[in-house]
Amino acid sequence: MTTTPMRIVHCVRSPIGGIFRHIRDLAMCQSEAGHDVGLVCDSNTGSAFDNRLLEELKPRLALGIARFPMQRQLTVQDLTATVSLYKHIRDLKPDILHGHGAKGGAYARLIGSVLRLRGQKAARVYCPHGGSLHYDPNRFEGRVYHTLERLLGRLTDGLIFVSDYEAAAYESKVGHTKARSRIVYNGLTPDEFTPVPVDEAAADFLYIGMLRDLKGPDLFIEALYNIRLKNGTAPKAHIVGEGPDEERYRNMVRKLGLDRAITFHGALPAREAFKLARNVVVPSRAEAMPYIILETVAAERPLIATRVGGIPEIFGRYANRLVEPGHIGKLTTAMEEALADPAKMAQQAKNLRSCLAETFSVDLMNDRITTLYQEIQGIAPTDSSTPAQADSVSAVPRAQTVLARSSNR
Protein backbone atom coordinates (compact mmCIF):
# COMPACT_ATOMS: atom_id res chain seq x y z
CA MET A 1 0.00 0.00 0.00
CA THR A 2 1.41 3.40 -1.01
CA THR A 3 1.74 5.83 1.88
CA THR A 4 0.02 9.16 1.35
CA PRO A 5 2.13 11.98 2.88
CA MET A 6 0.53 13.53 5.96
CA ARG A 7 1.16 16.55 8.14
CA ILE A 8 1.51 15.14 11.67
CA VAL A 9 1.86 17.18 14.87
CA HIS A 10 2.67 15.47 18.18
CA CYS A 11 1.69 17.26 21.38
CA VAL A 12 3.08 16.34 24.81
CA ARG A 13 3.54 18.28 28.02
CA SER A 14 6.76 16.76 29.34
CA PRO A 15 9.46 15.94 26.74
CA ILE A 16 11.35 13.54 29.00
CA GLY A 17 11.58 9.84 29.82
CA GLY A 18 9.81 7.00 28.05
CA ILE A 19 6.98 9.12 26.66
CA PHE A 20 9.48 11.30 24.79
CA ARG A 21 11.44 8.25 23.67
CA HIS A 22 8.20 6.94 22.11
CA ILE A 23 7.48 10.26 20.36
CA ARG A 24 11.06 10.69 19.16
CA ASP A 25 11.22 7.23 17.59
CA LEU A 26 7.78 7.58 16.04
CA ALA A 27 8.46 11.07 14.68
CA MET A 28 11.74 9.99 13.06
CA CYS A 29 10.12 6.96 11.42
CA GLN A 30 7.28 9.11 10.11
CA SER A 31 9.68 11.72 8.80
CA GLU A 32 11.78 9.07 7.04
CA ALA A 33 8.56 7.76 5.43
CA GLY A 34 7.98 11.15 3.80
CA HIS A 35 5.53 12.75 6.23
CA ASP A 36 5.86 16.33 7.51
CA VAL A 37 6.16 16.05 11.28
CA GLY A 38 6.19 18.57 14.12
CA LEU A 39 6.30 18.56 17.92
CA VAL A 40 4.76 20.86 20.53
CA CYS A 41 5.85 20.52 24.16
CA ASP A 42 6.47 22.29 27.46
CA SER A 43 9.19 24.95 27.64
CA ASN A 44 9.88 24.56 31.37
CA THR A 45 10.57 20.82 31.54
CA GLY A 46 13.79 19.01 30.74
CA SER A 47 17.42 18.86 31.81
CA ALA A 48 20.43 19.59 29.64
CA PHE A 49 20.32 15.91 28.61
CA ASP A 50 16.67 16.14 27.53
CA ASN A 51 17.16 19.45 25.75
CA ARG A 52 20.08 17.99 23.81
CA LEU A 53 17.83 15.19 22.55
CA LEU A 54 15.27 17.78 21.44
CA GLU A 55 17.93 19.73 19.56
CA GLU A 56 19.11 16.54 17.84
CA LEU A 57 15.54 15.82 16.76
CA LYS A 58 14.73 19.31 15.49
CA PRO A 59 16.49 19.08 12.06
CA ARG A 60 14.54 15.88 11.32
CA LEU A 61 11.13 17.52 11.68
CA ALA A 62 9.79 19.54 8.73
CA LEU A 63 7.18 21.24 10.95
CA GLY A 64 9.71 22.03 13.66
CA ILE A 65 9.60 21.95 17.46
CA ALA A 66 7.69 24.61 19.38
CA ARG A 67 7.77 24.98 23.16
CA PHE A 68 5.18 26.72 25.33
CA PRO A 69 4.71 26.87 29.13
CA MET A 70 2.47 23.97 30.20
CA GLN A 71 1.54 23.13 33.78
CA ARG A 72 1.34 19.54 35.01
CA GLN A 73 -1.80 20.07 37.12
CA LEU A 74 -5.05 21.68 36.01
CA THR A 75 -4.69 25.46 36.43
CA VAL A 76 -6.12 28.71 35.09
CA GLN A 77 -2.90 29.07 33.07
CA ASP A 78 -4.11 26.21 30.89
CA LEU A 79 -6.44 28.66 29.13
CA THR A 80 -3.54 30.89 28.09
CA ALA A 81 -1.50 27.87 27.01
CA THR A 82 -4.40 26.52 24.94
CA VAL A 83 -4.75 29.80 23.04
CA SER A 84 -0.99 29.96 22.30
CA LEU A 85 -0.90 26.33 21.20
CA TYR A 86 -4.01 26.78 19.06
CA LYS A 87 -2.49 29.67 17.09
CA HIS A 88 0.69 27.71 16.42
CA ILE A 89 -0.98 24.43 15.50
CA ARG A 90 -3.61 26.17 13.34
CA ASP A 91 -0.86 27.59 11.14
CA LEU A 92 0.73 24.14 10.71
CA LYS A 93 -2.52 22.81 9.17
CA PRO A 94 -2.10 19.26 10.51
CA ASP A 95 -3.86 16.23 9.08
CA ILE A 96 -3.13 14.37 12.33
CA LEU A 97 -2.97 15.92 15.79
CA HIS A 98 -1.54 13.25 18.09
CA GLY A 99 -1.66 13.97 21.83
CA HIS A 100 0.50 12.03 24.29
CA GLY A 101 -0.18 11.81 28.03
CA ALA A 102 -3.15 13.36 29.82
CA LYS A 103 -2.24 17.01 29.23
CA GLY A 104 -0.94 16.57 25.70
CA GLY A 105 -4.05 14.54 24.89
CA ALA A 106 -6.33 17.24 26.24
CA TYR A 107 -4.65 20.00 24.24
CA ALA A 108 -4.64 17.93 21.04
CA ARG A 109 -8.30 16.98 21.21
CA LEU A 110 -9.60 20.40 22.24
CA ILE A 111 -7.53 22.25 19.64
CA GLY A 112 -8.27 19.64 16.99
CA SER A 113 -12.00 20.05 17.64
CA VAL A 114 -11.81 23.83 17.19
CA LEU A 115 -9.82 23.37 13.98
CA ARG A 116 -12.52 21.04 12.65
CA LEU A 117 -15.22 23.58 13.46
CA ARG A 118 -13.23 26.09 11.42
CA GLY A 119 -12.87 23.86 8.41
CA GLN A 120 -9.55 22.10 8.98
CA LYS A 121 -9.85 18.31 8.88
CA ALA A 122 -7.47 17.43 11.71
CA ALA A 123 -7.83 13.90 13.04
CA ARG A 124 -7.58 13.77 16.86
CA VAL A 125 -5.49 10.88 18.16
CA TYR A 126 -4.70 10.20 21.82
CA CYS A 127 -2.26 7.89 23.62
CA PRO A 128 -2.57 8.01 27.46
CA HIS A 129 0.88 6.53 28.27
CA GLY A 130 -0.52 5.73 31.73
CA GLY A 131 -1.18 9.34 32.74
CA SER A 132 -4.60 9.87 34.28
CA LEU A 133 -5.23 6.10 34.19
CA HIS A 134 -2.86 5.68 37.14
CA TYR A 135 -5.32 7.48 39.45
CA ASP A 136 -7.55 5.52 41.81
CA PRO A 137 -11.16 5.77 40.50
CA ASN A 138 -12.44 5.67 44.08
CA ARG A 139 -10.69 8.88 45.09
CA PHE A 140 -11.70 12.45 44.30
CA GLU A 141 -8.72 13.22 42.05
CA GLY A 142 -9.29 10.04 40.09
CA ARG A 143 -13.00 10.78 39.63
CA VAL A 144 -12.17 14.27 38.30
CA TYR A 145 -9.58 13.07 35.80
CA HIS A 146 -11.62 10.11 34.62
CA THR A 147 -14.69 12.33 34.12
CA LEU A 148 -12.59 14.68 32.00
CA GLU A 149 -11.32 11.70 30.01
CA ARG A 150 -14.91 10.61 29.34
CA LEU A 151 -15.81 14.08 28.08
CA LEU A 152 -12.70 14.29 25.90
CA GLY A 153 -13.46 10.82 24.58
CA ARG A 154 -16.30 12.38 22.59
CA LEU A 155 -13.70 14.50 20.79
CA THR A 156 -11.41 11.60 19.91
CA ASP A 157 -11.01 9.95 16.51
CA GLY A 158 -8.31 7.45 17.43
CA LEU A 159 -6.98 5.87 20.63
CA ILE A 160 -3.60 4.16 20.92
CA PHE A 161 -2.77 2.03 23.97
CA VAL A 162 0.80 0.89 24.62
CA SER A 163 -0.28 -2.28 26.43
CA ASP A 164 -3.25 -4.57 27.01
CA TYR A 165 -3.17 -3.36 30.60
CA GLU A 166 -3.59 0.28 29.55
CA ALA A 167 -6.51 -0.57 27.25
CA ALA A 168 -8.24 -2.46 30.06
CA ALA A 169 -7.59 0.39 32.51
CA TYR A 170 -9.22 2.84 30.09
CA GLU A 171 -12.21 0.52 29.66
CA SER A 172 -12.74 0.10 33.41
CA LYS A 173 -12.00 3.66 34.56
CA VAL A 174 -13.17 5.81 31.64
CA GLY A 175 -15.55 3.57 29.71
CA HIS A 176 -16.09 2.11 26.28
CA THR A 177 -14.85 4.24 23.41
CA LYS A 178 -16.45 4.73 20.01
CA ALA A 179 -13.15 5.92 18.56
CA ARG A 180 -11.00 3.59 16.51
CA SER A 181 -8.54 2.03 18.93
CA ARG A 182 -5.41 -0.04 18.67
CA ILE A 183 -2.96 -1.64 21.06
CA VAL A 184 0.58 -0.90 19.87
CA TYR A 185 3.56 -1.97 21.95
CA ASN A 186 6.53 0.36 22.29
CA GLY A 187 9.41 -0.75 20.08
CA LEU A 188 13.19 -0.77 20.00
CA THR A 189 15.65 -0.47 17.12
CA PRO A 190 17.59 -3.57 15.95
CA ASP A 191 20.92 -2.30 17.34
CA GLU A 192 19.44 -2.17 20.85
CA PHE A 193 19.25 -5.97 20.92
CA THR A 194 23.03 -6.21 21.30
CA PRO A 195 24.06 -7.36 24.81
CA VAL A 196 25.78 -4.74 27.00
CA PRO A 197 28.73 -5.99 29.11
CA VAL A 198 29.35 -4.39 32.52
CA ASP A 199 32.47 -2.56 33.64
CA GLU A 200 35.05 -4.45 35.71
CA ALA A 201 34.30 -2.24 38.71
CA ALA A 202 30.53 -2.57 38.29
CA ALA A 203 28.31 -2.09 41.34
CA ASP A 204 25.72 -4.63 42.47
CA PHE A 205 22.55 -2.73 41.55
CA LEU A 206 21.33 0.05 39.27
CA TYR A 207 18.15 2.09 39.49
CA ILE A 208 17.48 4.03 36.28
CA GLY A 209 14.40 6.17 35.74
CA MET A 210 12.57 9.27 36.89
CA LEU A 211 13.16 10.29 40.48
CA ARG A 212 9.58 10.32 41.72
CA ASP A 213 7.68 8.02 44.06
CA LEU A 214 5.60 6.47 41.27
CA LYS A 215 8.79 4.83 40.00
CA GLY A 216 9.89 3.57 43.42
CA PRO A 217 13.43 4.94 44.05
CA ASP A 218 12.54 5.13 47.75
CA LEU A 219 11.80 1.38 47.75
CA PHE A 220 15.15 0.72 46.06
CA ILE A 221 17.00 2.71 48.74
CA GLU A 222 15.08 1.06 51.57
CA ALA A 223 15.81 -2.43 50.21
CA LEU A 224 19.53 -1.64 50.14
CA TYR A 225 19.25 -0.48 53.75
CA ASN A 226 17.47 -3.72 54.72
CA ILE A 227 20.29 -5.78 53.20
CA ARG A 228 22.82 -3.76 55.20
CA LEU A 229 20.88 -4.36 58.41
CA LYS A 230 20.93 -8.09 57.71
CA ASN A 231 24.49 -8.50 56.40
CA GLY A 232 26.31 -5.59 57.97
CA THR A 233 27.34 -4.20 54.58
CA ALA A 234 25.21 -2.46 51.98
CA PRO A 235 25.54 -3.52 48.32
CA LYS A 236 27.05 -0.94 46.01
CA ALA A 237 24.47 0.83 43.87
CA HIS A 238 23.94 3.61 41.34
CA ILE A 239 20.90 5.82 40.88
CA VAL A 240 20.63 7.27 37.37
CA GLY A 241 17.98 9.82 36.49
CA GLU A 242 16.40 13.13 37.39
CA GLY A 243 13.06 14.17 38.79
CA PRO A 244 11.09 16.30 41.24
CA ASP A 245 11.94 14.19 44.32
CA GLU A 246 15.69 13.90 43.82
CA GLU A 247 16.66 15.97 46.86
CA ARG A 248 14.37 13.94 49.11
CA TYR A 249 16.04 10.72 47.97
CA ARG A 250 19.48 12.20 48.53
CA ASN A 251 18.40 13.15 52.06
CA MET A 252 17.04 9.64 52.57
CA VAL A 253 20.40 8.14 51.58
CA ARG A 254 22.25 10.43 53.99
CA LYS A 255 19.80 9.72 56.84
CA LEU A 256 20.17 5.95 56.39
CA GLY A 257 23.96 6.20 56.24
CA LEU A 258 24.21 4.85 52.70
CA ASP A 259 26.35 7.67 51.29
CA ARG A 260 29.28 5.38 50.56
CA ALA A 261 27.12 2.67 49.02
CA ILE A 262 24.91 4.69 46.66
CA THR A 263 26.14 7.04 43.94
CA PHE A 264 23.75 9.49 42.25
CA HIS A 265 24.13 10.40 38.59
CA GLY A 266 22.11 12.66 36.37
CA ALA A 267 20.34 11.35 33.28
CA LEU A 268 22.42 9.01 31.13
CA PRO A 269 21.72 6.99 27.98
CA ALA A 270 20.34 3.63 29.14
CA ARG A 271 22.99 1.49 27.49
CA GLU A 272 25.73 3.58 29.07
CA ALA A 273 24.08 3.28 32.49
CA PHE A 274 23.76 -0.51 32.16
CA LYS A 275 27.56 -0.81 32.30
CA LEU A 276 27.57 0.56 35.86
CA ALA A 277 25.99 -2.42 37.64
CA ARG A 278 25.41 -6.16 37.39
CA ASN A 279 21.65 -6.00 38.12
CA VAL A 280 18.97 -3.48 37.13
CA VAL A 281 16.07 -2.84 39.52
CA VAL A 282 12.79 -1.27 38.36
CA PRO A 283 10.61 -1.05 41.54
CA SER A 284 7.73 0.93 39.99
CA ARG A 285 4.39 1.33 41.74
CA ALA A 286 2.62 1.95 38.40
CA GLU A 287 3.53 1.78 34.70
CA ALA A 288 2.00 1.56 31.23
CA MET A 289 4.66 -0.04 28.97
CA PRO A 290 8.04 1.16 30.29
CA TYR A 291 10.89 1.53 27.82
CA ILE A 292 13.47 0.92 30.51
CA ILE A 293 12.20 -2.65 30.91
CA LEU A 294 12.42 -3.23 27.15
CA GLU A 295 15.89 -1.66 26.97
CA THR A 296 17.18 -3.70 29.91
CA VAL A 297 15.88 -6.99 28.50
CA ALA A 298 17.19 -6.20 25.00
CA ALA A 299 20.62 -5.42 26.47
CA GLU A 300 20.55 -8.81 28.24
CA ARG A 301 21.04 -7.27 31.67
CA PRO A 302 19.73 -9.15 34.75
CA LEU A 303 16.52 -7.46 35.86
CA ILE A 304 14.34 -7.24 38.97
CA ALA A 305 10.98 -5.59 38.27
CA THR A 306 7.50 -5.26 39.74
CA ARG A 307 4.25 -6.75 38.45
CA VAL A 308 2.60 -3.51 37.28
CA GLY A 309 1.08 -2.17 34.07
CA GLY A 310 2.31 -3.83 30.90
CA ILE A 311 5.46 -5.34 32.45
CA PRO A 312 3.94 -8.87 32.66
CA GLU A 313 3.23 -8.61 28.91
CA ILE A 314 6.94 -8.13 28.30
CA PHE A 315 7.94 -11.01 30.59
CA GLY A 316 5.35 -13.36 29.08
CA ARG A 317 5.79 -16.88 30.44
CA TYR A 318 8.45 -15.55 32.84
CA ALA A 319 6.01 -13.17 34.58
CA ASN A 320 6.12 -15.27 37.74
CA ARG A 321 9.54 -13.74 38.42
CA LEU A 322 8.02 -10.29 38.95
CA VAL A 323 7.83 -8.74 42.42
CA GLU A 324 4.65 -7.50 44.06
CA PRO A 325 4.59 -3.68 43.74
CA GLY A 326 5.16 -1.66 46.91
CA HIS A 327 6.19 -4.74 48.92
CA ILE A 328 9.58 -3.82 50.37
CA GLY A 329 10.13 -7.25 51.91
CA LYS A 330 9.72 -9.10 48.60
CA LEU A 331 11.86 -6.56 46.76
CA THR A 332 14.61 -7.00 49.36
CA THR A 333 14.41 -10.79 49.01
CA ALA A 334 14.64 -10.59 45.21
CA MET A 335 17.74 -8.40 45.46
CA GLU A 336 19.34 -10.77 47.99
CA GLU A 337 18.69 -13.72 45.68
CA ALA A 338 20.31 -11.83 42.80
CA LEU A 339 23.44 -11.31 44.90
CA ALA A 340 23.49 -14.98 45.90
CA ASP A 341 23.12 -16.47 42.40
CA PRO A 342 24.46 -14.22 39.60
CA ALA A 343 24.65 -17.13 37.16
CA LYS A 344 20.91 -17.74 37.49
CA MET A 345 20.21 -14.02 36.90
CA ALA A 346 22.39 -14.07 33.78
CA GLN A 347 20.57 -17.09 32.36
CA GLN A 348 17.19 -15.50 33.03
CA ALA A 349 18.35 -12.36 31.20
CA LYS A 350 19.39 -14.44 28.20
CA ASN A 351 16.04 -16.28 28.12
CA LEU A 352 14.04 -13.05 28.25
CA ARG A 353 16.00 -11.37 25.47
CA SER A 354 15.50 -14.29 23.08
CA CYS A 355 11.74 -13.74 22.84
CA LEU A 356 11.58 -9.92 22.65
CA ALA A 357 12.78 -8.67 19.26
CA GLU A 358 9.89 -9.74 17.05
CA THR A 359 7.13 -8.22 19.19
CA PHE A 360 8.75 -4.99 20.41
CA SER A 361 10.01 -3.48 17.15
CA VAL A 362 10.08 0.25 16.39
CA ASP A 363 9.22 -0.45 12.73
CA LEU A 364 6.16 -2.47 13.73
CA MET A 365 5.14 0.29 16.16
CA ASN A 366 5.38 2.91 13.43
CA ASP A 367 3.54 0.80 10.82
CA ARG A 368 0.59 0.09 13.08
CA ILE A 369 0.20 3.70 14.23
CA THR A 370 0.51 5.11 10.72
CA THR A 371 -2.08 2.60 9.47
CA LEU A 372 -4.46 3.79 12.18
CA TYR A 373 -3.98 7.37 11.01
CA GLN A 374 -4.83 6.30 7.46
CA GLU A 375 -7.92 4.39 8.55
CA ILE A 376 -9.21 7.44 10.42
CA GLN A 377 -8.71 9.53 7.30
CA GLY A 378 -10.30 6.90 5.06
CA ILE A 379 -7.04 6.30 3.19
CA ALA A 380 -6.51 2.67 4.23
CA PRO A 381 -9.20 -0.03 3.84
CA THR A 382 -10.52 -1.55 7.06
CA ASP A 383 -11.78 -5.03 7.84
CA SER A 384 -13.49 -6.22 11.00
CA SER A 385 -11.06 -9.13 11.11
CA THR A 386 -7.93 -6.98 11.06
CA PRO A 387 -5.68 -6.71 14.15
CA ALA A 388 -6.68 -3.06 14.48
CA GLN A 389 -10.28 -3.98 15.12
CA ALA A 390 -9.47 -7.03 17.22
CA ASP A 391 -7.19 -4.99 19.47
CA SER A 392 -9.92 -2.49 20.23
CA VAL A 393 -11.89 -5.09 22.15
CA SER A 394 -9.16 -7.47 23.33
CA ALA A 395 -8.82 -5.82 26.72
CA VAL A 396 -12.50 -5.74 27.68
CA PRO A 397 -12.60 -9.05 29.60
CA ARG A 398 -9.65 -7.90 31.70
CA ALA A 399 -11.25 -4.62 32.80
CA GLN A 400 -12.43 -5.81 36.21
CA THR A 401 -9.02 -7.32 36.95
CA VAL A 402 -7.31 -4.04 36.14
CA LEU A 403 -9.72 -2.10 38.36
CA ALA A 404 -8.95 -4.45 41.23
CA ARG A 405 -5.20 -4.10 40.68
CA SER A 406 -5.35 -0.29 40.61
CA SER A 407 -7.71 0.29 43.51
CA ASN A 408 -4.82 0.64 45.96
CA ARG A 409 -2.87 3.23 43.98
Side-chain angles (χ1 to χ4, degrees):
M1 180 176 63
T2 303
T3 300
T4 302
M6 292 177 280
R7 296 175 67 83
I8 304 165
V9 176
H10 295 278
C11 182
V12 64
R13 186 193 67 82
S14 181
I16 62 176
I19 191 170
F20 179 57
R21 161 73 199 261
H22 173 92
I23 295 167
R24 187 176 78 243
D25 287 351
L26 183 57
M28 288 194 293
C29 286
Q30 291 169 343
S31 181
E32 289 169 2
H35 304 293
D36 292 334
V37 185
L39 171 64
V40 179
C41 59
D42 178 36
S43 58
N44 299 318
T45 306
S47 63
F49 176 81
D50 302 311
N51 290 330
R52 185 168 68 253
L53 292 177
L54 276 168
E55 287 302 312
E56 291 172 358
L57 179 62
K58 185 181 284 187
R60 310 283 293 273
L61 304 186
L63 302 183
I65 296 176
R67 306 188 70 176
F68 299 87
M70 302 181 192
Q71 304 300 314
R72 183 181 180 193
Q73 302 297 334
L74 293 171
T75 69
V76 177
Q77 294 172 307
D78 290 338
L79 296 174
T80 303
T82 302
V83 172
S84 299
L85 264 65
Y86 168 75
K87 292 178 180 177
H88 175 77
I89 293 172
R90 174 196 62 195
D91 294 340
L92 295 178
K93 296 181 172 57
D95 299 306
I96 303 291
L97 192 48
H98 189 158
H100 301 263
K103 208 58 171 287
Y107 284 134
R109 289 178 286 178
L110 289 170
I111 292 170
S113 298
V114 175
L115 291 176
R116 290 164 73 94
L117 289 172
R118 299 200 169 189
Q120 288 193 30
K121 295 183 179 180
R124 303 155 297 181
V125 178
Y126 172 46
C127 182
H129 294 281
S132 60
L133 301 182
H134 288 321
Y135 288 100
D136 186 339
N138 299 312
R139 296 182 179 178
F140 175 76
E141 197 170 25
R143 289 196 294 271
V144 170
Y145 280 107
H146 299 153
T147 298
L148 290 174
E149 288 284 8
R150 276 189 286 276
L151 293 172
L152 289 168
R154 301 172 185 174
L155 309 178
T156 306
D157 301 302
L159 272 167
I160 295 170
F161 301 110
V162 296
S163 65
D164 290 338
Y165 175 89
E166 185 175 71
Y170 188 95
E171 181 79 17
S172 65
K173 296 180 179 182
V174 179
H176 182 71
T177 176
K178 293 182 179 179
R180 290 186 181 276
S181 62
R182 177 163 292 177
I183 296 168
V184 183
Y185 288 150
N186 292 332
L188 302 180
T189 58
D191 59 296
E192 290 180 277
F193 288 90
T194 304
V196 174
V198 296
D199 296 335
E200 285 188 16
D204 299 298
F205 295 107
L206 166 70
Y207 169 87
I208 176 171
M210 285 195 68
L211 301 186
R212 54 185 295 218
D213 283 352
L214 189 75
K215 303 296 184 180
D218 56 318
L219 302 174
F220 178 69
I221 295 168
E222 190 174 344
L224 293 168
Y225 177 68
N226 288 346
I227 295 174
R228 193 191 75 176
L229 288 178
K230 191 172 182 178
N231 301 335
T233 304
K236 296 294 183 182
H238 293 280
I239 293 179
V240 172
E242 299 170 336
D245 299 321
E246 178 175 348
E247 192 55 38
R248 180 156 58 82
Y249 300 140
R250 287 181 177 272
N251 289 336
M252 183 179 179
V253 167
R254 286 191 289 267
K255 184 177 179 180
L256 296 177
L258 296 173
D259 310 63
R260 295 184 179 181
I262 300 176
T263 302
F264 281 84
H265 304 259
L268 292 173
R271 293 177 67 82
E272 183 178 329
F274 292 153
K275 298 176 183 179
L276 298 175
R278 286 181 285 275
N279 301 282
V280 179
V281 182
V282 181
S284 300
R285 292 179 168 93
E287 289 287 358
M289 177 57 72
Y291 268 100
I292 191 57
I293 297 288
L294 296 175
E295 291 168 323
T296 303
V297 174
E300 207 175 286
R301 299 310 313 141
L303 172 64
I304 297 168
T306 48
R307 188 181 293 103
V308 293
I311 295 177
E313 296 166 50
I314 300 173
F315 272 64
R317 65 180 184 273
Y318 302 111
N320 62 326
R321 300 174 185 168
L322 296 170
V323 178
E324 184 179 336
H327 197 297
I328 186 61
K330 291 185 178 180
L331 178 63
T332 302
T333 298
M335 292 170 66
E336 289 175 324
E337 290 174 351
L339 291 172
D341 197 344
K344 180 180 178 181
M345 293 295 292
Q347 185 59 50
Q348 289 178 350
K350 188 180 293 291
N351 293 342
L352 266 177
R353 176 177 168 270
S354 66
C355 60
L356 194 73
E358 186 175 337
T359 303
F360 298 94
S361 156
V362 69
D363 290 331
L364 179 61
M365 178 184 81
N366 172 60
D367 287 346
R368 301 201 71 209
I369 290 175
T370 301
T371 301
L372 179 62
Y373 291 169
Q374 294 169 329
E375 290 175 3
I376 292 169
Q377 292 190 310
I379 297 172
T382 61
D383 187 316
S384 60
S385 64
T386 63
Q389 294 299 318
D391 284 349
S392 70
V393 297
S394 65
V396 175
R398 291 182 291 277
Q400 295 303 319
T401 302
V402 170
L403 184 57
R405 284 178 188 163
S406 61
S407 62
N408 62 352
R409 288 181 193 153

